[in-house]
Amino acid sequence: MDLRIFTEPQQGASYEDLLRVAKATEDAGYDAFFRSDHYLKMGSATGLPGPTDAWITLAGLARETSRVRLGTLVTAATFRHPSVLAISVAQVDQMSGGRVELGLGSGWYDDEHTALGLDLPPIKERFDRYAEQLAVVTGLWETPEGETFSFDGEHYQLAGAPGLPKPAQRPRPPVIIGGGGKKRTPALAARYADEFNLPFVGPEFAVEQFGRVDDAAREIGRDPKEILRSVALVVAVGRDEAEVAKRAAVLGREVGELRENGLAGTPSEVVEKIGQWREKTGITRLYLQLLDLSDLDQVELIASEVAPQLD
């Protein structure tokens, strides 16, 4: 079971905050450090000192870490032109020595788009654009050196693009797709995804959605086992009940609710719940949503008391 730390810096974090967590993640032996790709806070958080750009952050971390994989959960297709995104991600992959993964989604946060003047088309058009983005980004990466890539879509047109720079990983970095859509999401995952992720859902829904992805893969002649299964869950792990309650309070949530909807409790409780998830859904990767970026003790606790029991 791969364990990855997943952060939400739009809620309030500087690059230095993220660097500390990324280095702690690497030192503790986690598989990867991921971050969201948002420019506006959510809920009652202050968001101070202000947003950090996901791919600029990951470029910096690429040079200041040496082992952990780095990526987004997930980059919004509404934020960047796909040809520019392909260049940015390929460059960060080179900077990291081939440790980057691209989570790409259609975009969804209305207030964020309104605040920054970004277009958020109706859902059908948004998914049409998203599908074209996946085709363009992967097409540019997979174009052999010396050849060019062209694309004539409804929303994006490229003519004779050289498909450079190439990422360090060949033919391309892993692509992560996720979400609960019943038709188009599984179809896009079947075609493009190396990993399918479900954030903040229950195991029953996960079983259904993973099944839809498997069916969509079979329909196009792809082995479903090629698509890794993962989920993202919020964490509040403590050595005892008092520590669990303290961490839940920092998040402004009830312990019982976190036990129900996330990974909360003592290490032994969390190990048991992860085992249940694995048995029911077949997941082999977990993104642990760390909302308190000052809580490096929890990062170390999970690495020392939970991870060794998952082998």
Side-chain angles (χ1 to χ4, degrees):
M1 179 71 69
D2 295 336
L3 295 183
R4 297 181 157 189
I5 294 295
F6 168 47
T7 62
E8 302 271 9
Q10 76 277 358
Q11 299 301 87
S14 67
Y15 173 75
E16 292 299 324
D17 295 327
L18 294 168
L19 176 59
R20 279 192 294 273
V21 179
K23 286 188 171 181
T25 298
E26 181 163 86
D27 291 344
Y30 288 87
D31 178 62
F33 173 88
F34 268 59
R35 60 157 291 164
S36 60
D37 189 3
H38 285 293
Y39 294 118
L40 186 69
K41 72 172 182 79
M42 301 172 190
S44 60
T46 67
L48 297 175
T52 50
D53 182 85
W55 287 102
I56 291 177
T57 296
L58 295 175
L61 298 179
R63 307 303 290 180
E64 299 196 71
T65 58
S66 60
R67 182 192 57 79
V68 288
R69 299 190 67 79
L70 303 165
T72 53
L73 207 64
V74 293
T75 283
T78 49
F79 287 174
R80 303 167 184 87
H81 192 284
S83 58
V84 174
L85 178 63
I87 290 169
S88 296
V89 178
Q91 183 179 4
V92 178
D93 196 47
Q94 288 281 0
M95 293 169 70
S96 71
R99 293 184 283 127
V100 159
E101 304 183 11
L102 172 64
L104 186 60
S106 63
W108 64 272
Y109 187 18
D110 294 58
D111 290 349
E112 178 175 53
H113 290 76
T114 300
L116 297 180
L118 300 170
D119 290 336
L120 187 67
I123 189 66
K124 182 184 182 303
E125 180 184 341
R126 201 183 316 163
F127 259 80
D128 291 344
R129 289 179 176 271
Y130 175 40
E132 290 188 16
Q133 285 228 354
L134 285 163
V136 169
V137 171
T138 58
L140 286 166
W141 286 342
E142 294 174 356
T143 297
E145 289 187 28
E147 299 183 17
T148 59
F149 175 79
S150 296
F151 184 82
D152 186 19
E154 180 181 354
H155 302 285
Y156 302 103
Q157 296 84 38
L158 287 74
L164 297 173
K166 291 299 175 203
Q169 298 173 90
R170 299 299 181 93
R172 57 173 175 78
V175 171
I176 304 166
I177 292 175
K182 295 183 178 181
K183 294 183 178 179
R184 296 193 71 178
T185 297
L188 289 173
R191 184 171 180 182
Y192 295 107
D194 299 284
E195 174 182 339
F196 190 79
N197 176 266
L198 286 170
F200 319 120
V201 301
E204 292 75 18
F205 178 81
V207 169
E208 295 176 0
Q209 188 68 345
F210 287 140
R212 294 185 187 103
V213 173
D214 287 355
D215 291 343
R218 293 188 191 97
E219 287 178 9
I220 64 171
R222 185 179 181 191
D223 184 352
K225 293 181 180 179
E226 295 178 2
I227 305 173
L228 185 150
R229 295 180 174 189
S230 68
V231 296
L233 295 169
V234 63
V235 290
V237 183
R239 295 170 181 85
D240 53 34
E241 195 65 25
E243 198 167 75
V244 175
K246 180 180 177 181
R247 290 193 161 115
V250 170
L251 305 184
R253 295 171 70 171
E254 297 294 328
V255 173
E257 180 268 323
L258 285 172
R259 278 195 165 99
E260 178 73 20
N261 299 314
L263 291 174
T266 61
S268 60
E269 288 181 85
V270 170
V271 168
E272 182 178 358
K273 187 160 187 179
I274 292 172
Q276 293 169 356
W277 263 97
R278 178 160 48 187
E279 183 177 351
K280 291 177 181 177
T281 68
I283 60 167
T284 57
R285 180 170 291 162
L286 265 171
Y287 292 82
L288 307 177
Q289 187 193 40
L290 183 74
L291 293 174
D292 181 1
L293 299 187
S294 68
D295 191 3
L296 300 185
D297 178 67
Q298 184 174 200
V299 173
E300 295 164 1
L301 175 64
I302 295 170
S304 63
E305 300 294 331
V306 174
Q309 300 186 63
L310 300 176
D311 294 336

